[in-house]
Amino acid sequence: MAAATLRAAFRTDVEPILQMARLRAGAAIDPVATFRASRYRHRVAAKRPRTQSGGGGIV
C-alpha cells in the first residue's frame, strides 16, 4: 500500500497548486510564457558583444 501511495503522489499534478501560489505571491502564473513574451533573451543578446572565436573556452 505504501508503494501505491508513493506512485499516486508522484503522478499527482501539482501545477494548479503552484499557479495559485504564484498568483498569491504576485508572480507570473506561467513564468516561462512570461519570460518568452518579454523577449528578454533577445534584448540582452543584442547588448552583448559578439565573440569572434567559436571555441568553447578551452585554450
Side-chain angles (χ1 to χ4, degrees):
M1 189 165 169
T5 303
L6 185 60
R7 278 193 303 272
F10 182 77
R11 289 189 202 121
T12 300
D13 182 17
V14 296
E15 189 63 28
I17 298 167
L18 294 174
Q19 290 174 343
M20 185 57 68
R22 290 180 192 128
L23 179 67
R24 288 180 180 168
I29 293 173
D30 186 356
V32 174
T34 303
F35 174 77
R36 289 178 179 159
S38 74
R39 299 196 36 88
Y40 174 80
R41 187 175 186 180
H42 176 73
R43 288 183 283 127
V44 171
K47 292 179 184 177
R48 291 183 182 146
R50 299 213 182 263
T51 59
Q52 295 298 323
S53 68
I58 300 173
V59 178

